[in-house]
Amino acid sequence: MPSDERLREPMDEYGDRVLRFCRVCLAEEAKADRAAQEIFRMLAEQTEKTPMTESRVLGTALRVLAGKSLPQTDPGPGVLGGIGSLPKGQKLAVLARYYLGLSEQEAARWLRVPRWMFSARLRKAEAALNGR
């Protein structure tokens, strides 16, 4: 199956969610659009034997954004309000766990950090956000 055909279903199913995630992380629409394209290009380059699961799509998005410079701005009021001031590792932990809904184990794997480190970042972020 050609890569564009292989990506049609994941793009239809997860494209809006990936783009929203990119916009929350990068704050600029043009940067978010480029990041979303990069994410789906990476998925297209992966072996055809690898299933396109939700975890694979969202994990690839997390991995791509972990390599980018994230602005120190808040996405607005609500659940994610206040994350802009967090260090990058803590910000990604909060977004992975609460915005993407990944388990701690999945998020740690995609961010390529030990689970204990991911958990520590998440706890520090939660403490900082609860103290604001």
Side-chain angles (χ1 to χ4, degrees), residues 33-106:
D33 289 343
R34 285 192 300 274
Q37 291 172 9
E38 181 181 345
I39 289 161
F40 283 104
R41 259 195 316 274
M42 283 182 70
L43 287 165
E45 293 169 1
Q46 294 173 0
T47 176
E48 291 195 14
K49 294 179 182 177
T50 307
M52 284 292 175
T53 62
E54 179 179 42
S55 176
R56 174 157 302 286
V57 172
L58 298 179
T60 301
L62 190 59
R63 186 173 291 163
V64 166
L65 291 170
K68 298 196 176 301
S69 175
L70 303 182
Q72 293 293 326
T73 58
D74 279 330
V79 176
L80 297 177
I83 66 167
S85 61
L86 295 173
K88 183 177 179 178
Q90 292 177 23
K91 185 183 303 185
L92 287 170
V94 169
L95 290 169
R97 185 70 184 103
Y98 298 114
Y99 190 79
L100 293 179
L102 297 174
S103 70
E104 287 191 16
Q105 185 172 351
E106 282 179 308

Side-chain angles (χ1 to χ4, degrees), residues 122-132:
L122 187 59
R123 281 193 307 276
K124 286 179 184 177
E126 290 168 340
L129 292 172
N130 288 332
R132 63 180 166 127

